[in-house]
Amino acid sequence: MNEFLTISFYGTAIVLMLIGLYAALAKKNLLKIVIGLSIIDSGLHLLFVAVGFISNGTAPIFSPEVLESAQQMVDPVPQALVLTAIVIGFATTAVALALVIRLYKHHNTAAIDEIKNLKW
Amino acid sequence: MIKQFFVILILSIVGYFLVDAFFKVPFGEKRDNVGNYYIEKSPVDLKVSNSVTAIVVNYRGFDTLGEVTVLFLAATGLGSIMYRRKQKGEKEVRAKNPSSRIIQIGSQILFPMIILLGGYVFIHGHLSPGGGFQGGAIIATASLLMLISYRKFKVSHNAITWIESIAGVVFASLGFIGLVLGRTFLENFLPTGELNDLLSGGIIGIIYIAVGFKVASELTGVIDTVLLNNRPEAQKEN
């Protein structure tokens, strides 16, 4: 059972990250590249929270009921880090989208292979 | 063709190392790490019931100060990227057609409630799930609702800048007061109160309220910048 959970949680997160990486590498449209970057973000957050999980654990918040039952709590550090990472991910996505809008207005296209001075 | 090959190569290398590293970590097992220390200490030392808040605002408060700075830089950078001069006789209009009356009345009813919910979430950040960032994001959705349903709804950028600066100054100066009165930056110098009380946790509640105001005004500014500057040129192209 635990094997299955390991594979399903970590596997989902890693597959999400790879999907995002594929979109960022192979897609031609700038908007799709930004979407790919934010999919990488989501996979990373899922991976972090999955690493911090404890079986049958509660959220790391002390209410009177939890204090009485003395149940185990999941690791709060990955959750705090993910909280930071979500905000940073929002900031980078916002700036990237603004750059995409500017490029689209300047070149009248969002495809990177039609923008000549971006070709590799 | 060669590009496809490289993409698949990179994906398989990254995927192999991710699987190799993380499938060795047992899922759902208790470990001895710094998280246990935080869980033990946060209700005793700081009287904060939400351990995540205690970590974000106190134990790693300096990190959060940097995070807020990154958010500020993103909002400022967005403004400078999207900035363009107004041409003669050009009016800044957001939507071509006004939204229907149902949406307008509905958003008028929802607006104060969403603001109230956002305020609740960041004021109770140390007691319940949520906090400054989440509450700020909720308040920004309220202003997004007003911006998309009223074409003449204006957000004052002066007010946004002032709220943002005051909130940032409050955060940083609380940290410096801790440095002066105690030993470290952001050290708690107020009485901690009782566990599960609204007035508990010392400076944590005040800092999270400041963060809430800051995030709300920054996200509102970002939404307003993107909506306002995008429309007039799109109309010309049509």
Side-chain angles (χ1 to χ4, degrees), chain B residues 3-24:
Chain B
K3 199 182 159 188
Q4 291 287 332
F5 173 72
F6 273 118
V7 166
I8 290 169
L9 189 71
I10 290 173
L11 281 186
S12 45
I13 291 172
V14 172
Y16 172 73
F17 280 109
L18 278 176
V19 167
D20 192 42
F22 278 96
F23 277 29
K24 284 174 190 159

Side-chain angles (χ1 to χ4, degrees), chain A residues 16-77:
Chain A
L16 259 183
M17 287 169 74
L18 292 182
I19 290 172
L21 195 58
Y22 173 77
L25 285 174
K27 288 290 169 187
K28 299 270 195 277
N29 194 323
L30 281 169
L31 207 56
K32 288 179 184 170
I33 294 175
V34 175
I35 292 173
L37 291 179
S38 67
I39 292 175
I40 298 181
D41 258 5
S42 320
L44 199 66
H45 301 158
L46 193 59
L47 193 62
F48 268 26
V49 175
V51 168
F53 181 73
I54 291 170
S55 299
N56 297 322
T58 58
I61 294 169
F62 293 91
S63 59
E65 293 84 18
V66 175
L67 280 176
E68 280 164 21
S69 70
Q71 223 177 342
Q72 279 193 336
M73 287 183 174
V74 299
D75 196 352
V77 178

Side-chain angles (χ1 to χ4, degrees), chain A residues 51 55 60 62 72 75 105, chain B residues 28 30-31 33 49 51 219 233:
Chain A
V51 168
S55 299
F62 293 91
Q72 279 193 336
D75 196 352
K105 277 181 187 166
Chain B
K30 192 155 175 62
R31 293 181 200 93
N33 55 16
S49 25
S51 302
L219 294 196
E233 284 193 351

